[in-house]
Amino acid sequence: MAFSPCRLLRLVRRHRTLATAASSSRAVAVFWDLDNKPPNTIPPYDAAVRLHLAAASFGPLRFSVAYANHHAFRHLPAPVRAARAERRAADHLEAAKPSRVPSYLCRVCGRRFFAHAKLVNHFRQIHEREQEKRLRRIDSVTGGRRVRLVAALSLKMEKYKKAARELLTPEVGYGLADELRRAGVVVRTVDDRPEAADRALREHMVETMDRGKVGCLVLVSDDSGFLGVMREARMRCLKTVVVGDEGDGALKRYADSALSWKDVVSGKAKEEAASAVGRWKDRDLLKKLEWRHMPEEEEGESDIFDDDSDAGDEEDGCLGLVGERDKKPWWKLNSDSNDLH
């Protein structure tokens, strides 16, 4: 069967529209309240990656956004402070008793050093200056030359960033925003006012629901102030998932599914998410198959039966009249009675 080009184009557009609608109904959006649930126990990059893996079990991940005030990015968690204190103590011991074996390797040039402090000094004096020169060269050109220069220096710059991430200590905070962005999280900073991050996060969730591009909302928080948004999502027939530490919190009681933040960090939440999706599919199937009470239809059927009963009564009345008018047996004809007379 041959189709005209215009009809084929309409069929292709319709197929794309249906595919887009199906993907939108399954898409997942992650909203992370960093003020309430910061990644303190593990590095921020690892926490974001494991959170994305758990969220992707509910459907294709559309985007992930995190809100926090400036204090959250300047604050140092207790594990980070303890790790830095241990590093300083180890540097003092190495300075007092230098090792005879060069055990510290520079990830950029490959040189080995006897002490960690000497490796840091080498990195700052040589490789950090080289990185600054590369950035100045990139800023000095524009257009196609800039694109070609960035492509030529991309490997060296990426190698420096990996080494600096492990070696250098951030001047402010512990690199929370940079690590989350590296994992694909959109980080947005708000003013240092009470409930500023929660208010911005709620507005973003409502805006996402208005656009109708997602079918599942994943909220990483234990704050009960998000109950109104979760109620709105349920009224719009969206799936809701809450990730938090409170075992029986108000948000988890109202959400379609709940995950523990400890399970997300440890990587165990992916299995729980898969089982929750299975329960959702079974529930949707039962909703399609269940019987529903339709009082309007029943009233219509009763009216039909009443009409039939009235018609039957009328027929019975007609037959009664006929019987009263003609009481002769049915086998006797009028001609027979006339002959007898």
Side-chain angles (χ1 to χ4, degrees), residues 141-152:
V141 296
T142 59
R145 293 182 59 188
R146 182 188 180 92
V147 173
R148 290 190 294 270
L149 183 60
V150 170

Side-chain angles (χ1 to χ4, degrees), residues 106-212:
C106 178
R107 300 292 181 180
V108 178
C109 61
R111 289 185 58 185
R112 293 183 176 273
F113 297 88
F114 292 95
H116 181 266
K118 292 184 179 180
L119 172 61
V120 174
N121 292 334
H122 159 78
F123 194 87
R124 291 186 179 279
Q125 292 176 3
I126 297 179
H127 301 301
E128 193 171 9
R129 293 179 181 178
E130 292 176 351
Q131 180 71 4
E132 293 176 356
K133 291 180 181 178
R134 297 189 195 102
L135 295 176
R136 286 196 297 268
R137 286 182 60 190
I138 292 174
D139 293 337
S140 64
V141 296
T142 59
R145 293 182 59 188
R146 182 188 180 92
V147 173
R148 290 190 294 270
L149 183 60
V150 170
L153 300 177
S154 60
L155 293 178
K156 292 182 179 179
M157 295 178 67
E158 187 65 25
K159 193 174 184 180
Y160 169 83
K161 289 179 180 179
K162 290 182 179 179
R165 196 176 297 118
E166 299 176 359
L167 191 61
L168 298 183
T169 301
E171 296 180 0
V172 179
Y174 62 110
L176 176 60
D178 295 337
E179 291 297 295
L180 292 180
R181 291 192 184 100
R182 187 165 68 95
V185 180
V186 179
V187 180
R188 297 187 178 180
T189 309
V190 298
D191 298 333
D192 292 334
R193 292 181 296 176
E195 302 296 329
D198 296 348
R199 191 180 306 108
L201 192 58
R202 285 195 295 267
E203 293 176 356
H204 195 169
M205 294 176 71
V206 173
E207 181 183 356
T208 302
M209 289 188 285
D210 292 338
R211 291 181 178 179

Side-chain angles (χ1 to χ4, degrees), residues 8 11 15 33 47 85 102 107 221 236 330-331:
L8 285 175
L11 290 174
H15 177 71
D33 185 7
R107 300 292 181 180
S221 179
R236 300 192 187 195
W330 62 271
W331 63 85

Side-chain angles (χ1 to χ4, degrees), residues 19-51:
T20 304
S23 61
S24 300
S25 64
R26 296 176 54 249
V28 179
V30 177
F31 297 91
W32 193 348
D33 185 7
L34 284 176
D35 291 341
N36 184 267
K37 200 62 59 187
N40 293 332
T41 55
I42 63 173
Y45 177 81
D46 297 338
V49 169
R50 294 175 186 179
L51 176 61

